[in-house]
Amino acid sequence: MKLQRHPLLLSFAFFSAVISKIAGTTATILPGTTLYASKTNKSWSSPNNTFFLHFLPFLPSTSPPSFTATIVYSGGAPAVWSAGNGATVDSGGYLRFLPTGNLILVNGSGSTVWDSGTSNMGVSSATLHENGNLVLSNNTGSVWSSFDNPTDTIVPFQNFTVGMVLRSGLFSFSVLRSGNLTLKWSDSVPYWDQGLNFSMSAVNLSSPVLRLEPMGVLQLFYPNLSALVVVAYSSDYGEGTDVLRVLKLDSDGNLRVYSSKRGSGTVSSRWVAVEDQCEVFGYCGNNGVCSYNDSSSSPICGCPSQNFEMVDPSDSRKGCRRKVRLEDCVGKVAMLQLDHARFLTYPPLFFINPEVFFIGISACSVNCLAASSCFASTSLSDGSGLCYIKTSNFISGYQNPALPSTSYIKVCGPVAPNSAPSLENAHWRVRGWVVTLVVLSALSCFLVLEGGLWFWCCRNMQGFGGLAAQYTLLEYASGAPIHFSYKELQKSTKGFKLKLGDGGFGAVYKGVVANQTVVAVKQLEGVDQGEKQFRMEVSTISSTHHLNLVRLIGFCSEGRHRLLVYEFMKNGSLDSFLFVNEEQQSGKLLNWGYRFNIALGAAKGLTYLHEECRNCIVHCDVKPENILLDENYNAKVSDFGLAKLLSAVDHRHRTLTSVRGTRGYLAPEWLANLPVTSKSDVYSYGMVLLEIVSGRRNFEMSEETSRRKFSVWAYEEFEKGNMTGVIDRRVVSQEINMEQVKRVLLACFWCIQEQPSQRPTMSKVVQMLEGVIDIERPPAPN
Ligand SMILES: *[C@@H]1O[C@H](CO)[C@@H](O)[C@H](O)[C@H]1NC(C)=O
Ligand SMILES: *[C@@H]1O[C@H](CO)[C@@H](O)[C@H](O)[C@H]1NC(C)=O
Ligand SMILES: *[C@@H]1O[C@H](CO)[C@@H](O)[C@H](O)[C@H]1NC(C)=O
Ligand SMILES: *[C@@H]1O[C@H](CO)[C@@H](O)[C@H](O)[C@H]1NC(C)=O
Ligand SMILES: *[C@@H]1O[C@H](CO)[C@@H](O)[C@H](O)[C@H]1NC(C)=O
Ligand SMILES: *[C@@H]1O[C@H](CO)[C@@H](O)[C@H](O)[C@H]1NC(C)=O
Ligand SMILES: *[C@@H]1O[C@H](CO)[C@@H](O)[C@H](O)[C@H]1NC(C)=O
Ligand SMILES: *[C@@H]1O[C@H](CO)[C@@H](O)[C@H](O)[C@H]1NC(C)=O
Ligand SMILES: *[C@@H]1O[C@H](CO)[C@@H](O)[C@H](O)[C@H]1NC(C)=O
Ligand SMILES: *[C@@H]1O[C@H](CO)[C@@H](O)[C@H](O)[C@H]1NC(C)=O
Ligand SMILES: *[C@@H]1O[C@H](CO)[C@@H](O)[C@H](O)[C@H]1NC(C)=O
Ligand SMILES: CC(=O)N[C@H]1CO[C@H](CO)[C@@H](O)[C@@H]1O
């Protein structure tokens, strides 16, 4: 049934009709057929003319004009797929289905812009189906299809699953194996991450499939669970006949469902993923500030101040650049203040580069000014007391009178703020006193009410009101450590009943303080310091804030009692996950991904202690017991600054405690009575790395290691190329990133070098783990 006439001799309509007759419902495109960019009238169509593949002039129009080979719905819109991800060709370009079986898009110059990659696979036909799917098939079936290679749109009947990506400029959309749907900027910043109710990060779902039902329901299907989850209904769900609905990732980075009536050529938006367009990361480009103008709902992109200029004045979305680069600044570098503005930060960024601190608004600006790696900062006034330090040099801003935050961006002085529209200013001045009055009276009403409420709530709790008042005040004022009375801590721990553990410095109990926050209370032993000295140390510890450090909430210093109150870490300490415990051989086990993140997090916490915080602190007791895990298994280093508390009084005590408690982690210089420096922490940290990989204590000796120290044996196995032998047996069968394991082990062997000067600094260790630098072969540790 081969058609031997040259297809180009036939007009398209005739060709289509002939083929339809022969092939029944599908219009088959035979090898050798070509569509020319200059003839936008010519197309390949689906059997009932529901979809057409043809060249469309690229918009906004260019000169000379350019074209994309696109599949469109009847009527001309929406476009559902384009060859080569929307690649454009000039008017000499063409799309050809070669006799070798591949479909190619060629530019006027003759260069191939896109190739379906299906040559010599026996492909004998190309078909545009009624559902919009362009399929290349051989005798055995489909070899390539546009549904499997989507550009920026999904149509009904299309299965969108793990591994497929919709792209539009720097933005991308994908389905994760966990079942989450995510929108990312530049493949790195997820600015929309829709988890499902039963988000099963732990479960390995086999390819969840996203589908848009013709009626307008966007749903995820889990073949494994035979479960369907509705992600969204389009607002015109179930309405109309002959309506095509598509899911499209737009060039503004937002994901929308559009509806189009057949033949109308128009589309209407029926659902949008990110409701506030300004929350799309990078929408206004680098250094761009997104905002809304009262009179229109579409966002506007501007520059932070007159210290900046638009990269492309004709396209405000391309972002802004400094008129004077910071490197070339001869004057003073200063922080430009933007009220009601924030620089967008989405959760995983915290982990890529810890950027979140508990510091006040002025520190948030000053710290950024002082740090050469910081470009901008945002201080939240939403009660969280957080400050985001932006060290990435891509900054995406959002300004809106409703935002409870203030942002700062580094500029070469003098600061030249954008002049506010003068009309609006006058307007405000006139109304200013009215507003002030209204605000003041509202505030006093609120205070009276609040006071009443407080009195009403708390008068029945004896001996508690005064303290609680002090507690709240302090908390909102500064984040300074809270001074608890011994009695209150006794009460909040129910008489020191629930013991969490026995640290080197004293026992730790679980408690619940006034505002229902769960805390860990540490009863220090052997501290005989005076009140003043103790308070000084406490304030140093509590002013040390970092995402990878356990936060000190408060303290108690009363008579001989010295207690510290920390935030409670739900998942306890790392050791309970690493080492097999006879009593509870339960399923407490962390897979490699978590282990690696914990190693990196702890390294970042220590880097902060050693190199970045104001009063640098040597931890002196780094070990898995002092690395705590929060509910998301983020590592937080605890007990920092305590060694100093004790050493001030009793040096012997410290050494003894540590030796007793932490055999195996002490750097050689400790035992040799040489000066202890941050490099001693590096040594201990190196031992922790080894334990994270192996799940065994570094000093363990067994038959397997021929009764040698585990660390020595591990190095030898590593040198022999037997990395797998070192890895924890309980995880070795899982999917493991061996490249990461290798980096961790190399970093480990450098850290546990006998000579402190041979060991890297913690910031270098972070770089090693992140794979930013190459790691040389380490010499044998002893
Ligand atoms: C395209 O087709 C329309 C009518 O179908 C015709 O008027 C027009 O001249 C054609 N354009 C070209 C460039 O062939
Ligand atoms: C094409 O249209 C005809 C007549 O309306 C209909 O019977 C047929 O099922 C349609 N074919 C497809 C593939 O939709
Ligand atoms: C196609 O050729 C034009 C010049 O004719 C050029 O400007 C354009 O970049 C080329 N397109 C591609 C995708 O190579
Ligand atoms: C048809 O395509 C499949 C890949 O989809 C390939 O494995 C098979 O060998 C092809 N058949 C022929 C006859 O080339
Ligand atoms: C989508 O997946 C379903 C079942 O998983 C299958 O029946 C259907 O044919 C697939 N659709 C396409 C276009 O591949
Ligand atoms: C899935 O999304 C939720 C938010 O809806 C988020 O909390 C969770 O961390 C995400 N899970 C993964 C694996 O990305
Ligand atoms: C999530 O699950 C809870 C109970 O398991 C249910 O009440 C709630 O409606 C669900 N939410 C969504 C969005 O499905
Ligand atoms: C988990 O997912 C990985 C990655 O696709 C797969 O190779 C592995 O077989 C899955 N494991 C289980 C237990 O389902
Ligand atoms: C906001 O809207 C007004 C009125 O439409 C217009 O005059 C003004 O230029 C707009 N502002 C910006 C920043 O576009
Ligand atoms: C209670 O106080 C703690 C410690 O300062 C704070 O982190 C937490 O956010 C507070 N919780 C509430 C509900 O106010
Ligand atoms: C690697 O180490 C493991 C654990 O000791 C051992 O069982 C295995 O034989 C070693 N493999 C090689 C190739 O040395
Ligand atoms: C729990 C369950 O059904 N798991 C299945 C998920 O899908 C994979 C591959 O399709 C199967 O191998 C699992 O058994």
Side-chain angles (χ1 to χ4, degrees), residues 131 133 147-148 157-159 209 211 221:
N131 58 16
N133 195 8
F147 275 14
D148 290 337
F157 305 110
Q158 185 165 355
N159 293 327
V209 179
R211 277 192 217 144
F221 176 64

Side-chain angles (χ1 to χ4, degrees), residues 120-123 138-143:
N120 305 320
M121 291 171 90
V123 172
N138 65 13
N139 296 337
T140 46
S142 160
V143 176

Side-chain angles (χ1 to χ4, degrees), residues 171-186:
F171 304 106
S172 63
F173 170 72
S174 54
V175 180
L176 306 182
R177 196 164 286 280
S178 65
N180 274 23
L181 302 174
T182 126
L183 284 171
K184 285 186 180 164
W185 173 84
S186 197

Side-chain angles (χ1 to χ4, degrees), residues 7 40 181 185 198 319 322 394 418 467 606 616 629 690 753:
T40 51
L181 302 174
W185 173 84
F198 55 104
R322 289 182 179 79
F394 190 97
N418 286 334
L467 204 104
L606 288 173
C616 291
L629 305 177
L690 183 58
Q753 292 296 314

Side-chain angles (χ1 to χ4, degrees), residues 471 475-476 482 513 515-517 551 553:
Y471 176 70
E475 186 171 330
Y476 284 120
I482 300 154
V513 294
N515 75 352
Q516 298 306 311
T517 306
R551 201 172 138 226
I553 293 172

Side-chain angles (χ1 to χ4, degrees), residues 11 20 68 130 149 226 328 389 564 592 647 735 744:
S11 84
S20 291
T68 57
E130 262 307 280
N149 297 274
S226 294
D328 304 337
I389 296 283
L564 296 175
W592 174 253
S647 69
E735 194 178 331
V744 169

Side-chain angles (χ1 to χ4, degrees), residues 293-295 300:
N293 197 342
D294 282 345
S295 43
I300 300 163

Side-chain angles (χ1 to χ4, degrees), residues 233-244:
Y233 287 95
S234 69
S235 60
D236 65 344
Y237 165 67
E239 287 176 10
T241 51
D242 265 349
V243 173
L244 175 77

